[in-house]
Amino acid sequence: MSKQLYGAGIWHFATYVDRYATDGYGPPRSVIEAIDIAGQVKDLSVVDINYPYFGGEFSKEQIKTALDRNNLSVIGITPEIYTREFAKGAFTNPDAGVRRRAHELITDAAEQVRFFGADYVKLWPGQDGWDYPFQVDHGTLWKNSLDGVGQLASENPDLKFVIEYKPREPRVHMSFDSLSRTLLGIEKIGLPNVGILLDFGHALFGGESAADSAQMAIDYGRLFGMDVNDNYRSWDDDLVAGSLHPIELFEFFYVLRKNNWEGVWQLDQFPFREDSVATANHAIDFLKAAGRGLDVLDIDALKEAQSKHDAIGALKIAQKALFSSF
Amino acid sequence: MSKQLYGAGIWHFATYVDRYATDGYGPPRSVIEAIDIAGQVKDLSVVDINYPYFGGEFSKEQIKTALDRNNLSVIGITPEIYTREFAKGAFTNPDAGVRRRAHELITDAAEQVRFFGADYVKLWPGQDGWDYPFQVDHGTLWKNSLDGVGQLASENPDLKFVIEYKPREPRVHMSFDSLSRTLLGIEKIGLPNVGILLDFGHALFGGESAADSAQMAIDYGRLFGMDVNDNYRSWDDDLVAGSLHPIELFEFFYVLRKNNWEGVWQLDQFPFREDSVATANHAIDFLKAAGRGLDVLDIDALKEAQSKHDAIGALKIAQKALFSSF
Amino acid sequence: MSKQLYGAGIWHFATYVDRYATDGYGPPRSVIEAIDIAGQVKDLSVVDINYPYFGGEFSKEQIKTALDRNNLSVIGITPEIYTREFAKGAFTNPDAGVRRRAHELITDAAEQVRFFGADYVKLWPGQDGWDYPFQVDHGTLWKNSLDGVGQLASENPDLKFVIEYKPREPRVHMSFDSLSRTLLGIEKIGLPNVGILLDFGHALFGGESAADSAQMAIDYGRLFGMDVNDNYRSWDDDLVAGSLHPIELFEFFYVLRKNNWEGVWQLDQFPFREDSVATANHAIDFLKAAGRGLDVLDIDALKEAQSKHDAIGALKIAQKALFSSF
Amino acid sequence: MSKQLYGAGIWHFATYVDRYATDGYGPPRSVIEAIDIAGQVKDLSVVDINYPYFGGEFSKEQIKTALDRNNLSVIGITPEIYTREFAKGAFTNPDAGVRRRAHELITDAAEQVRFFGADYVKLWPGQDGWDYPFQVDHGTLWKNSLDGVGQLASENPDLKFVIEYKPREPRVHMSFDSLSRTLLGIEKIGLPNVGILLDFGHALFGGESAADSAQMAIDYGRLFGMDVNDNYRSWDDDLVAGSLHPIELFEFFYVLRKNNWEGVWQLDQFPFREDSVATANHAIDFLKAAGRGLDVLDIDALKEAQSKHDAIGALKIAQKALFSSF
C-alpha cells in the first residue's frame, strides 16, 4: 500500500454566504488566497478547484503557480453549474439554451482538467431537481440528467466524470439524490468514464451507510472519488470529519481498505465560523488515526463476528482499533 | 380505461401488537375474521394475505370460502419472512439453514398464489439488513439478498415476485431500502418476473417523491403493484391515505394514469386505534375523489406549466382538480 | 370578527443568495423595490421589514413614502442580528462588544417600530446557538439569550418584542429552538411585552403540531404574531403555504379562530425560483379558502369527534370544510 | 465523589415483540428470569422494574428475593400505562374510567416503590398524545396530562415522580415530547416531587443536545434520573450506548459531572437480536471509559475554548480525553 494522500475542496479555504448572512461569514477570498491558505495545512497534497476561478480573473497558469508554491496539485475541477444562471437546473433546465451553456461551461472545465493533469471533472448538479409536487415531468427530468452527463462523457473519452450525489440543497430534491439512483443512471449511460464521488456526509444525510454505499459503488466499478465531513444526519452540515460519527466513518475507511481502493482521502468541509486551517488539520489528524486504526484492526476476528452478524462483538473490535489509535 | 379496483392488505383488518402494548391493541383476530371485516368495506375487491394464515390452522379452501362469501379475491400472498425465526434476516440470515427455511416458506406461499390465481408473491424482507456499523459484510449481505430472490424467481417462472422496499423497520436499516436500490438489484437478477410493489408511504419515508419513483419503476417495466397510506415522513406510520399529503398522493396517481398503469389501488394502513372499516372506507373515498380529480385535471395546462418548471402554475391546476372533486 | 388582514415579510419580494448560488437567484433588489413589488399582491395590508434597510441608504421617511403609495403599513421590524458581525451569535456572542452592538442595533430597530406605529420588534436570533458538542457552556449560552432579550424588553416597555423560534439554520442548533423552550425562556424573563411569533413551517420542521403550539402559546398569553409557509418537515424550505400540508395548516387556523386570536395572517416564504407576486397571491388564495373553510366547519360535530379522539370522524369533517371551500 | 453506580431497565433482559415479529424475538421471559439474567451483568447495581410484574403472578416479596440473590436493588417502578387498555391514552384517555384506572395502577406502583425503598415512580405516558390533525382538543389534552400527574404527586408527597419524555412511539406524537415541554408542564404543576428522567436517546431523537437538556433540567432542579442508549437520531432505536454518538454522550456525562449530579447511570437498551448480557456489559464498559475520560479531561482548557466558542479546540480536548480512556 502506498502512502495515503489527503486532499480538500478549495472552497474549504474560502468564506461563505448564506441566505441570512448575505454579507458573508468573512471577507471574500480569491482562489489564489484560498490556495495559499490551503498550503498552510500540514498534510494536504491535492485540491479540487471550482471553475470559473473565483475572486478575480485568473489564468490557469496563475493558478498553477500558486499551487506549485504550496506543493499542491489538482485532483479535480468542479464547474459551477449551480449559480444564478442554473437556478432551475443545469442538465435539466427547462431552457435548452441554459442546458447548452452548462455543457459549454463543463467543456471548459474539462480543458482545465487536462491542463492540470487532474483526475476528473466533478459534476455536482445541485440545482437539478424539483421543489414541489407536479412541478416537473419526472421522466423528462431524468432523461435530461442522463443525456447531459452522457454527452459530456462521450465527447471527452480521455477524461473521467464523477457525479457527486446528495439528497437535496440547494434544490429541495436533487435528481442525483442517492448512491443507488446515481448508479442506475450511470449504468443506463453505459460509458466507462462516468463514476461516483461518494461524499460521506451526503450518504449519512440520505440515510445510507457510507460503508455499504462504498461497497456497492466499488462492486460496480464506479467509485472514482470520495470526500468526508460530518453532519447531524438531517442536513449537509459539512462539519469536521470524525466529530459526530467516528465509528461510521471508520467503517467507511475499512471498506475502502478491504477493497484495496487507493484514492485520495479528501475533505469537503465548510468551516463557516471556524479557522479553516485548524479545521482541516483536525480532520486530517482524525483520518490519520483512522488509518492507524485500520492497521491494528483485528480483521480475522472482525470477519468472524460479521459472519454471525454479531453486532456487539464487531463493535468491540472496531472501537478498540479506532480509539486506541488516537 | 376499466373501472378502478380497490384492495387492501388483510392485516388492515387485524389487530396489532408493538413493543409496548404487548397485549395488543385489541383482541387477536384470525384471518377468517379479518376477511369478514374486510367484506364490510364498501368497495373492496381484492386482498393481500399473509402466509401462514394467522389466528389458527386454516386450509386454503377455508380461506377461499371466506373470501367468496365477501366477494373478495386475492391479489397477492405475503409470506411472513419477518417473524422470530427470521429475526436476523430471511435471505440474508447468517445461518444457511434459516435461509433455506425462508426459501421453503416462500415456495409454499407460491403454491397459495397459484391456488388463488393471485397476481404475485409479495416479498417484504423487513428483517434483512443491519442495525450497527461493522455488523455485516455489506457485499455478502447484498449478494445473499439477490441470490435469494433470484433463485425463487427462476424456480417459479410462472409467477411474479414483487419486492416491497422500505428504508427501515423492523430492521434499523433494510437491504431493499429504496426504489433505486431495489431496481439496481432487480436489474442484476435479470429475470422478467421480479418487480416492485411501491408503497406510497415507504417512498415518502425514504425522502422520495412517490410520483418520481413510480415513473422510474414504470420506465424499467418493473412496477408490478402499489399501495397507499400516509405518514409524517419520518416513519412508516401507515395512517389513512390522503390525511396528511393529499397533493403528493394525487401526483402519484397522476403518474400512474399518465402511463396507463392500470393495477389495483391498494391500502396498506394500520389502524391501531381506529375502526378498521371506517378507516378503509375513508381512504377509498379519498381515492375515488382523486380518481375524479384526474378526470377533470387540465392536462394540457399542466404539461405547459411543467415544461417551464412553473411550480405555482402547476400546483394551482392540481389543487383545483383534486379539491373540487371532494 | 373583523376582516382578516394578510401580511408578508418584505424579504418575500427580495432575491436571495445561498452558499452555492453566491451570485444570487436574481439581481439584488432594494427594500424600496421590494415594497413596490409587494404592492402588486392582491390583498396584502402589512409587511415586516428588515433593519437596516437593505439595498441602499434609505431613511425611514423614504420607506414610509414607498409603503404609502402601495397602501401598505408595517407590522414589525426585524433587526438583522444574523449577518457577518453576528456569525457567532448576537445575544450569546462570546465577545461582549458584539453583544452590545446587537443591543444597539435592536434599539435602533425599536425606534423604527415607534416611527411606523408597528406592532413589534421581531427577534430572530438565527446565529445564537452552537454547531458542535462541547463548543459552548450551555448554561451561559441560555443565560445570555434571556439576559439579552430581557434587557431590551425592560428598556422598551412601550413596545412588544416577539421571538421567532426555529430548530436550526443558519446555526446548526438554535437556542430558541422550539415553542416550549421559548415559552420557558419568556416565563423566566417574566415581562409582559415579550411574546412569540409562531412560524407554521418552523413548528412543522421541529416536529410540533403548529395547532398544538398555537394553543399552548395562547394559553400562556404569548402568541403575539404568526406567519405561514410550507416545507418537507426536515428543513425550513419556506415553500408556498398550503402546498404540502393543507390539513395541518387548516388546523392551525382553526385553533386561532377557536381562541378568537385576531392577528394578521402573514407569509414567510422564500420564492427562490418563482415569481414572488404569483407566489404570494397563490398563498393568500389558499388562506382565504381556509378562512371560508372555517366559516363552514361543523364545529359541533368536530368537538363531538374530538371528545372521543375519533381521528377519522374529525378528519372527514375537516377535509370536507376545507376542500369544499376551494 | 462517590463510586459511580450503574443500572438498567429490567426490560433490557426481557424479549420483545413488534408489529411484525408478533411471535417475539425470543421466548417470553418472566420478570424473575429477567432479574436472574441482569444478575449476570458485571457491574449492575439497580434496576427499574415494570409494574404489573410481567410473565406471571409474582408478589413483591418474590421479586425482592430474586433481586437479593443477584445483589440488585430497585431504583424505580414503571407502571405499564401504555398497554391495550391505555391505547388511547392514560392521563389523557377520552374515557374518564380509563383515566381513573391509570390513576389506580400508578397508585399501586407507588406502593411498590415504598416497599422497595426505590427512588421514584417512573411515568412514561407513551400512548398519551395524538396521531392525526384535528383528532384532539389540544388544550384539553395538555390539561389532562398535567392534572393526572399533579394529582398523583399531590397524593403521594413522600414519593418522587419522574416523567420520561419522548417525541413519539407508540403514539405518533406524545404529549410529553421534549425536555422543554415537560419542564413547562412540571412548572405549571408546581410540586416539588415531580421531575424528569432524561433519556439520552430520546433527546437525540428529538433533535436536542442531551448535554444542553441536562443543564436545563438541572437549572430547574428537576433532573431526577437519566438513562442512556443510542440511535440514528430519527427513531428510538435503543441501541447500545456509545456505539454511534460517543462524543455527544461524553458531553452529556460531562454536564452531569460539572453540576455534581450524582445519580445512577442507567441503561435503556432493547437488544432485540443481541445477547442482553453482552450488550449491557459492552455499554457499561463504555460508560466506565467515559468516566475515566472525565477524570482526565482538561477542564481549564475546555472552559477556555468554550469561552471563545472554539469548536475545534474544544473537540480536540474532548476527543483526546475520551478516546485515550479506552
Side-chain angles (χ1 to χ4, degrees):
Chain A
M1 196 190 63
S2 56
K3 187 176 175 302
Q4 181 60 54
L5 296 185
Y6 302 100
I10 196 64
W11 54 89
H12 189 299
F13 308 99
T15 55
Y16 314 101
V17 298
D18 62 27
R19 62 172 173 151
Y20 299 110
T22 54
D23 58 344
Y25 284 81
R29 290 182 191 145
S30 72
V31 65
I32 301 293
E33 292 172 287
I35 290 169
D36 284 334
I37 296 172
Q40 302 169 31
V41 177
K42 274 182 303 181
D43 288 278
L44 208 63
S45 300
V46 304
V47 290
D48 177 340
I49 302 184
N50 311 75
Y51 180 82
Y53 304 118
F54 58 81
E57 297 284 325
F58 304 110
S59 68
K60 49 190 184 302
E61 290 75 14
Q62 287 175 290
I63 304 289
K64 179 137 185 27
T65 303
L67 290 165
D68 286 349
R69 72 169 168 259
N70 288 289
N71 292 312
L72 293 169
S73 61
V74 180
I75 185 167
I77 295 287
T78 299
E80 297 213 313
I81 54 174
Y82 39 75
T83 48
R84 188 191 301 178
E85 183 172 12
F86 306 110
K88 286 192 154 194
F91 301 124
T92 64
N93 199 289
D95 180 335
V98 178
R99 294 199 297 271
R100 206 155 40 233
R101 175 71 191 114
H103 182 83
E104 288 163 8
L105 177 63
I106 300 168
T107 301
D108 288 352
E111 270 315 301
Q112 316 300 310
V113 169
R114 288 186 187 94
F115 172 79
F116 288 110
D119 282 13
Y120 49 71
V121 180
K122 193 178 80 190
L123 303 175
W124 185 69
Q127 302 283 11
D128 287 83
W130 63 87
D131 301 308
Y132 287 94
F134 282 101
Q135 182 174 7
V136 300
D137 179 290
H138 292 287
T140 302
L141 199 84
W142 187 236
K143 185 181 180 308
N144 283 346
S145 287
L146 303 193
D147 286 354
V149 176
Q151 187 186 350
L152 286 158
S154 89
E155 288 174 3
N156 299 278
D158 58 319
L159 292 186
K160 285 196 275 190
F161 290 82
V162 302
I163 302 172
E164 184 175 359
Y165 66 88
K166 187 165 86 159
R168 53 165 305 183
E169 195 221 4
R171 205 68 195 222
V172 168
H173 193 110
M174 274 180 61
S175 278
F176 290 106
D177 61 0
S178 61
L179 185 280
S180 300
R181 175 107 175 190
T182 308
L183 270 184
L184 263 187
I186 288 173
E187 293 304 292
K188 183 70 94 187
I189 291 170
L191 294 171
N193 59 330
V194 185
I196 283 176
L197 185 141
L198 203 171
D199 178 289
F200 176 81
H202 296 180
L204 212 66
F205 178 13
E208 301 175 6
S209 151
D212 172 62
S213 294
Q215 185 62 60
M216 182 75 95
I218 288 170
D219 287 345
Y220 277 82
R222 300 290 186 179
L223 189 66
F224 287 12
M226 63 82 108
D227 53 38
V228 298
N229 46 54
D230 214 335
N231 63 52
Y232 286 87
R233 301 186 198 271
S234 62
W235 190 252
D236 184 30
D237 300 315
D238 286 325
L239 301 176
V240 66
S243 55
L244 300 172
H245 304 105
I247 288 289
E248 287 158 276
L249 184 55
F250 187 48
E251 191 194 17
F252 175 60
F253 289 130
Y254 166 67
V255 166
L256 298 182
R257 170 86 58 104
K258 176 173 181 286
N259 289 275
N260 301 310
W261 190 91
E262 295 207 338
V264 178
W265 291 6
Q266 289 188 79
L267 308 179
D268 180 7
Q269 304 178 147
F270 275 65
F272 283 91
R273 303 171 186 84
E274 282 69 45
D275 178 77
S276 53
V277 173
T279 305
N281 280 335
H282 186 62
I284 291 174
D285 284 346
F286 186 93
L287 269 46
K288 288 179 176 177
R292 291 190 298 271
L294 293 178
D295 294 338
V296 301
L297 188 67
D298 185 341
I299 306 274
D300 290 340
L302 178 63
K303 288 191 171 173
E304 171 67 16
Q306 290 185 338
S307 75
K308 296 178 291 188
H309 296 194
D310 172 10
I312 303 302
L315 257 180
K316 205 176 296 190
I317 294 161
Q319 288 174 332
K320 188 182 163 198
L322 177 62
F323 296 155
S324 71
S325 299
F326 271 82
Chain B
M1 196 192 62
S2 56
K3 188 176 174 304
Q4 181 60 54
L5 295 185
Y6 303 100
I10 197 63
W11 54 89
H12 189 299
F13 308 99
T15 55
Y16 314 102
V17 298
D18 62 27
R19 63 173 172 150
Y20 299 109
T22 54
D23 59 343
Y25 285 80
R29 288 180 193 149
S30 73
V31 65
I32 301 293
E33 292 172 288
I35 291 169
D36 285 334
I37 297 172
Q40 301 169 31
V41 177
K42 275 183 303 181
D43 287 277
L44 208 63
S45 300
V46 304
V47 290
D48 177 338
I49 303 184
N50 313 74
Y51 179 81
Y53 304 118
F54 58 81
E57 296 285 324
F58 303 110
S59 69
K60 52 189 184 299
E61 290 76 14
Q62 286 174 292
I63 304 289
K64 181 141 185 22
T65 301
L67 290 165
D68 286 348
R69 72 171 167 257
N70 287 289
N71 292 312
L72 293 169
S73 60
V74 179
I75 185 167
I77 296 288
T78 299
E80 297 211 314
I81 53 175
Y82 38 76
T83 49
R84 186 190 303 177
E85 185 173 11
F86 306 110
K88 285 193 154 192
F91 300 124
T92 65
N93 200 289
D95 179 336
V98 178
R99 294 201 297 272
R100 206 155 41 233
R101 175 71 191 115
H103 182 81
E104 288 164 8
L105 177 64
I106 301 169
T107 301
D108 287 352
E111 271 314 301
Q112 315 299 310
V113 169
R114 289 187 186 94
F115 172 79
F116 287 111
D119 281 13
Y120 49 70
V121 181
K122 193 179 78 190
L123 303 176
W124 186 68
Q127 302 282 11
D128 287 84
W130 64 86
D131 301 308
Y132 287 93
F134 282 100
Q135 182 174 8
V136 300
D137 179 291
H138 292 288
T140 303
L141 200 84
W142 186 235
K143 185 181 181 305
N144 283 345
S145 287
L146 302 192
D147 287 353
V149 176
Q151 186 186 351
L152 286 158
S154 90
E155 288 174 4
N156 299 276
D158 59 319
L159 292 185
K160 285 197 275 192
F161 290 82
V162 302
I163 302 172
E164 185 175 358
Y165 67 88
K166 187 164 86 161
R168 51 166 306 185
E169 194 222 5
R171 206 67 196 222
V172 167
H173 193 110
M174 274 178 62
S175 279
F176 289 107
D177 62 359
S178 61
L179 186 279
S180 301
R181 173 104 175 195
T182 308
L183 270 183
L184 264 187
I186 289 173
E187 293 304 291
K188 184 68 94 186
I189 291 171
L191 294 172
N193 58 330
V194 184
I196 282 176
L197 186 141
L198 203 171
D199 179 290
F200 175 80
H202 297 180
L204 211 65
F205 178 14
E208 302 175 7
S209 151
D212 173 62
S213 294
Q215 185 63 58
M216 183 74 96
I218 289 169
D219 286 345
Y220 276 83
R222 301 290 184 177
L223 189 66
F224 287 11
M226 63 82 108
D227 52 39
V228 297
N229 45 57
D230 214 334
N231 63 52
Y232 285 88
R233 301 188 199 269
S234 62
W235 191 252
D236 184 30
D237 300 315
D238 286 325
L239 301 176
V240 66
S243 54
L244 299 172
H245 305 105
I247 287 288
E248 286 158 277
L249 184 54
F250 188 47
E251 192 194 16
F252 175 60
F253 290 131
Y254 166 68
V255 166
L256 298 182
R257 170 87 56 103
K258 177 172 180 287
N259 289 276
N260 301 310
W261 191 91
E262 294 207 338
V264 177
W265 290 6
Q266 291 190 76
L267 308 179
D268 181 7
Q269 304 177 145
F270 275 64
F272 284 91
R273 302 171 187 84
E274 282 71 45
D275 178 78
S276 54
V277 172
T279 305
N281 280 334
H282 186 62
I284 292 175
D285 284 346
F286 187 93
L287 269 47
K288 288 178 176 178
R292 290 190 299 271
L294 293 179
D295 294 339
V296 302
L297 188 67
D298 186 341
I299 307 275
D300 290 340
L302 178 63
K303 288 191 171 173
E304 172 65 17
Q306 290 185 338
S307 75
K308 296 178 290 190
H309 296 194
D310 172 9
I312 303 302
L315 256 181
K316 205 177 295 189
I317 294 161
Q319 288 174 332
K320 188 182 162 195
L322 177 62
F323 296 156
S324 71
S325 298
F326 272 81
Chain C
M1 195 190 64
S2 55
K3 188 176 174 303
Q4 181 61 54
L5 295 185
Y6 303 100
I10 196 64
W11 54 89
H12 189 299
F13 308 99
T15 55
Y16 314 102
V17 298
D18 62 28
R19 62 172 172 153
Y20 299 109
T22 54
D23 59 343
Y25 285 81
R29 290 181 190 145
S30 72
V31 64
I32 301 293
E33 292 171 286
I35 291 169
D36 285 333
I37 296 173
Q40 301 169 31
V41 177
K42 275 183 304 183
D43 288 278
L44 208 63
S45 300
V46 303
V47 289
D48 177 338
I49 302 184
N50 313 75
Y51 179 81
Y53 304 117
F54 58 81
E57 297 284 325
F58 304 109
S59 69
K60 51 188 185 300
E61 290 76 14
Q62 286 173 291
I63 304 288
K64 181 143 185 19
T65 302
L67 290 166
D68 286 349
R69 70 170 169 259
N70 288 288
N71 291 312
L72 292 169
S73 60
V74 180
I75 185 167
I77 295 287
T78 300
E80 298 213 315
I81 53 174
Y82 39 75
T83 49
R84 186 190 303 177
E85 184 173 11
F86 307 110
K88 286 193 154 193
F91 300 124
T92 65
N93 200 288
D95 179 336
V98 179
R99 295 200 297 271
R100 204 156 43 233
R101 175 68 191 118
H103 182 81
E104 288 164 7
L105 177 63
I106 301 168
T107 301
D108 287 353
E111 270 315 300
Q112 316 299 310
V113 168
R114 289 187 185 94
F115 172 78
F116 287 110
D119 282 15
Y120 49 70
V121 180
K122 193 179 78 189
L123 303 176
W124 185 69
Q127 303 282 13
D128 287 84
W130 63 87
D131 301 308
Y132 287 93
F134 283 100
Q135 183 175 7
V136 300
D137 179 291
H138 291 289
T140 303
L141 200 84
W142 186 236
K143 184 180 180 308
N144 284 346
S145 287
L146 303 192
D147 286 354
V149 176
Q151 186 185 350
L152 286 158
S154 89
E155 288 173 4
N156 299 277
D158 59 319
L159 292 185
K160 285 196 278 192
F161 290 82
V162 302
I163 301 171
E164 185 175 359
Y165 67 89
K166 187 164 86 159
R168 51 165 306 185
E169 195 222 3
R171 205 67 196 224
V172 168
H173 193 110
M174 274 179 61
S175 279
F176 289 106
D177 61 359
S178 61
L179 185 280
S180 300
R181 175 106 175 192
T182 309
L183 271 183
L184 264 187
I186 290 173
E187 293 304 293
K188 184 70 91 186
I189 292 171
L191 294 171
N193 58 332
V194 184
I196 282 175
L197 185 141
L198 203 170
D199 178 290
F200 175 80
H202 296 181
L204 212 64
F205 178 14
E208 302 176 5
S209 151
D212 173 62
S213 294
Q215 184 64 58
M216 183 74 94
I218 289 170
D219 286 345
Y220 276 83
R222 300 289 185 179
L223 189 66
F224 287 10
M226 62 82 109
D227 53 39
V228 297
N229 45 55
D230 214 335
N231 63 52
Y232 286 87
R233 301 188 198 270
S234 61
W235 191 251
D236 184 30
D237 300 314
D238 285 327
L239 301 176
V240 66
S243 54
L244 299 172
H245 304 105
I247 287 288
E248 287 158 275
L249 184 54
F250 188 48
E251 191 194 16
F252 175 60
F253 289 131
Y254 166 68
V255 166
L256 297 182
R257 170 87 57 104
K258 176 173 182 286
N259 288 277
N260 301 310
W261 191 91
E262 295 207 339
V264 177
W265 291 6
Q266 290 189 77
L267 307 180
D268 180 7
Q269 305 177 146
F270 275 64
F272 284 90
R273 302 171 188 85
E274 282 70 45
D275 178 79
S276 55
V277 173
T279 305
N281 280 334
H282 186 61
I284 291 174
D285 283 346
F286 186 92
L287 268 47
K288 288 179 177 176
R292 290 189 299 271
L294 292 178
D295 294 339
V296 301
L297 188 68
D298 185 341
I299 307 274
D300 290 341
L302 178 63
K303 289 191 170 172
E304 171 66 17
Q306 289 185 338
S307 76
K308 296 178 293 190
H309 297 195
D310 172 10
I312 304 301
L315 256 180
K316 205 177 296 190
I317 294 162
Q319 288 174 332
K320 189 182 161 196
L322 177 62
F323 296 155
S324 71
S325 297
F326 271 81
Chain D
M1 194 190 63
S2 55
K3 185 176 175 306
Q4 182 59 55
L5 295 185
Y6 303 100
I10 197 62
W11 53 90
H12 189 299
F13 308 99
T15 56
Y16 314 102
V17 298
D18 63 26
R19 62 173 173 151
Y20 299 110
T22 54
D23 59 343
Y25 285 80
R29 290 182 191 145
S30 71
V31 65
I32 301 294
E33 292 172 287
I35 290 169
D36 285 333
I37 296 172
Q40 301 168 31
V41 177
K42 275 182 303 182
D43 288 278
L44 207 64
S45 301
V46 303
V47 290
D48 177 338
I49 303 184
N50 312 76
Y51 180 82
Y53 304 118
F54 58 82
E57 297 284 325
F58 304 110
S59 68
K60 50 189 185 299
E61 289 76 14
Q62 287 174 290
I63 304 289
K64 182 143 185 19
T65 302
L67 291 165
D68 286 349
R69 72 170 167 258
N70 288 289
N71 291 312
L72 293 169
S73 60
V74 180
I75 184 167
I77 295 287
T78 300
E80 297 212 314
I81 53 174
Y82 40 74
T83 50
R84 186 189 302 178
E85 183 172 12
F86 306 109
K88 285 192 154 194
F91 300 124
T92 64
N93 199 289
D95 180 336
V98 178
R99 295 200 296 271
R100 206 154 42 233
R101 175 70 191 114
H103 182 82
E104 289 163 8
L105 177 64
I106 301 168
T107 302
D108 287 352
E111 271 315 300
Q112 316 299 310
V113 169
R114 289 187 185 95
F115 172 79
F116 288 110
D119 281 14
Y120 48 71
V121 181
K122 192 179 79 190
L123 303 176
W124 186 69
Q127 302 283 12
D128 287 83
W130 64 87
D131 302 306
Y132 288 94
F134 282 101
Q135 182 175 6
V136 301
D137 180 290
H138 291 288
T140 303
L141 200 85
W142 186 236
K143 185 180 181 307
N144 284 345
S145 287
L146 302 193
D147 286 354
V149 175
Q151 186 185 351
L152 286 158
S154 89
E155 288 173 4
N156 300 277
D158 58 320
L159 293 186
K160 285 197 277 192
F161 290 82
V162 301
I163 302 172
E164 184 175 0
Y165 67 88
K166 187 165 85 159
R168 51 165 307 185
E169 194 217 9
R171 205 67 195 222
V172 168
H173 194 110
M174 273 180 62
S175 279
F176 290 106
D177 61 359
S178 61
L179 186 279
S180 301
R181 174 106 175 193
T182 308
L183 270 183
L184 262 187
I186 289 173
E187 293 304 291
K188 184 69 94 185
I189 292 171
L191 295 170
N193 58 331
V194 185
I196 282 176
L197 185 141
L198 203 171
D199 178 290
F200 176 80
H202 296 180
L204 211 64
F205 179 13
E208 302 174 5
S209 151
D212 172 63
S213 294
Q215 185 62 59
M216 182 75 94
I218 288 170
D219 286 344
Y220 277 83
R222 300 291 185 177
L223 189 66
F224 287 12
M226 63 81 109
D227 53 38
V228 296
N229 45 54
D230 213 334
N231 63 51
Y232 286 87
R233 302 187 198 268
S234 63
W235 190 252
D236 183 30
D237 300 315
D238 286 326
L239 300 176
V240 65
S243 54
L244 300 172
H245 304 104
I247 288 288
E248 288 158 276
L249 184 55
F250 187 49
E251 191 195 16
F252 175 61
F253 290 131
Y254 166 67
V255 167
L256 297 182
R257 170 88 56 104
K258 177 173 181 284
N259 288 276
N260 301 311
W261 190 92
E262 295 207 337
V264 178
W265 290 6
Q266 291 189 76
L267 308 179
D268 180 7
Q269 304 177 146
F270 275 64
F272 283 91
R273 304 170 187 83
E274 281 70 46
D275 178 79
S276 53
V277 173
T279 305
N281 280 334
H282 186 63
I284 292 174
D285 284 345
F286 186 94
L287 268 48
K288 289 179 176 176
R292 290 189 299 270
L294 293 179
D295 294 340
V296 301
L297 189 67
D298 185 341
I299 307 275
D300 290 340
L302 178 63
K303 288 191 173 173
E304 171 66 16
Q306 290 185 337
S307 76
K308 296 178 291 189
H309 296 195
D310 172 8
I312 303 301
L315 257 179
K316 205 176 297 189
I317 294 161
Q319 288 174 333
K320 188 182 162 197
L322 177 62
F323 297 155
S324 71
S325 299
F326 271 82

